[in-house]
């Protein structure tokens, strides 16, 4: 199996400045953007939130907006009905239970509507500087191909990566996302350009 340090060095050379690509000016805006990003590209989310956050950027704003109006504003992000419902419920709980402030504890974040481990990990890592890794489809795919995990369960994969890499997990996350998105793609991965393909189960098979 590829050594963790070698993989980190390889990705760091490829993506030295990798960071969260979701544009935001507050923790709450980040939270909303991450919820919208489910099964949607960051580029599309940024296009939507650029307009959305001009008029609605606080939890109370999203409590006050109607379900129908919010759906119309986020429609192009996909699954807009469910996302609008979750964002409004999330905002309401933040206002009612957390005095209008996005909670800082991971455990509290996961009690919010539309917020699972992946979203909570992103918020904790990006907004609060915690050593956490979020497992999305790209991270899960790359981790399985390189043998960092043998599980298709994101939670199990997360634990395997934490044990293996231990530190700078937030940076690792975004580098793995970019690597999976642009190189180690689900369909037609660019194996001919990959310097670590000899460790890849997908290439070897």
């Amino acid at each position: 199996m590829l050594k963790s340090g070698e993989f980190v060095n390889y990705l760091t050379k490829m993506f030295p400045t990798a960071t969260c690509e979701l544009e935001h000016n507050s923790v709450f805006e980040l939270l909303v953007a991450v919820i919208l990003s489910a099964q949607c590209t960051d580029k599309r989310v940024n296009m939507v939130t650029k307009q959305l956050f001009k008029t609605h950027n606080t939890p109370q704003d999203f409590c006050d907006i109607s379900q129908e109006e919010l759906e119309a504003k986020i429609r192009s992000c996909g699954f807009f009905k469910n996302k609008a419902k979750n964002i409004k419920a999330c905002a309401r709980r933040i206002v009612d239970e957390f005095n209008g402030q996005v909670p800082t504890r991971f455990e509290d974040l996961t009690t919010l509507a539309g917020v699972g481990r992946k979203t909570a990990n992103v918020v904790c890592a990006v907004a609060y500087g915690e050593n956490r890794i979020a497992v999305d489809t790209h991270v899960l795919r790359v981790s399985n191909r390189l043998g960092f995990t043998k599980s298709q369960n994101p939670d199990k994969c997360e634990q395997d990566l934490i044990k293996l890499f231990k530190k700078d997990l937030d940076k690792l996350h975004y580098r793995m996302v970019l690597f999976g998105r642009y190189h180690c793609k689900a369909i037609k991965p660019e194996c001919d350009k990959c310097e670590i393909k000899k460790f890849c189960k997908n290439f070897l098979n």
Side-chain angles (χ1 to χ4, degrees):
M1 186 178 76
L2 178 65
K3 292 182 179 179
S4 59
E6 293 175 341
F7 183 58
V8 169
N9 290 337
Y10 179 63
L11 291 190
T12 301
K13 290 179 181 178
M14 292 184 72
F15 310 106
T17 60
T19 187
C20 179
E21 295 185 329
L22 293 171
E23 297 172 0
H24 59 281
N25 293 304
S26 69
V27 181
F28 180 70
E29 286 188 1
L30 171 64
L31 178 59
V32 171
V34 179
I35 293 174
L36 290 174
S37 72
Q39 295 181 285
C40 181
T41 66
D42 289 355
K43 182 178 180 180
R44 169 57 59 182
V45 172
N46 288 337
M47 291 173 62
V48 169
T49 57
K50 183 177 181 179
Q51 298 303 317
L52 177 65
F53 291 158
K54 287 181 179 179
T55 55
H56 298 79
N57 51 43
T58 69
Q60 189 61 56
D61 288 337
F62 285 91
C63 290
D64 295 339
I65 191 174
S66 71
Q67 173 83 14
E68 293 71 24
E69 184 179 356
L70 182 54
E71 287 178 6
K73 289 179 178 293
I74 67 172
R75 190 181 190 92
S76 64
C77 285
F79 301 97
F80 59 93
K81 289 183 178 294
N82 194 49
K83 289 179 180 179
K85 180 180 178 181
N86 282 334
I87 290 171
K88 282 185 62 61
C90 175
R92 171 52 62 192
R93 182 167 172 80
I94 289 174
V95 169
D96 292 346
E97 303 294 332
F98 298 101
N99 299 313
Q101 301 298 314
V102 177
T104 58
R105 295 178 68 249
F106 179 88
E107 293 77 12
D108 290 333
L109 281 167
T110 56
T111 68
L112 301 175
V115 180
R117 289 192 64 86
K118 185 186 78 171
T119 298
N121 276 326
V122 171
V123 172
C124 285
V126 176
Y128 304 136
E130 295 185 14
N131 185 42
R132 292 182 175 274
I133 186 165
V135 177
D136 64 1
T137 55
H138 299 299
V139 173
L140 186 63
R141 180 175 64 256
V142 172
S143 297
N144 271 277
R145 285 180 174 176
L146 292 175
F148 297 146
T149 186
K150 295 181 180 179
S151 176
Q152 290 297 328
N153 181 290
D155 294 350
K156 179 61 169 64
C157 179
E158 178 189 336
Q159 295 307 311
D160 290 339
L161 293 175
I162 290 172
K163 291 178 182 177
L164 186 62
F165 291 94
K166 297 181 176 63
K167 63 180 183 178
D168 295 326
L169 296 175
D170 56 331
K171 295 177 182 178
L172 175 66
H173 164 70
Y174 288 110
R175 286 170 177 144
M176 288 183 76
V177 167
L178 295 178
F179 181 60
R181 180 180 296 161
Y182 300 116
H183 299 278
C184 193
K185 296 176 283 189
I187 301 175
K188 295 183 179 180
E190 299 180 348
C191 299
D192 57 319
K193 301 178 183 179
C194 184
E195 296 179 13
I196 56 175
K197 59 188 175 185
K198 64 181 180 180
F199 299 102
C200 178
K201 294 179 180 179
N202 184 71
F203 175 74
L204 295 175
N205 291 335

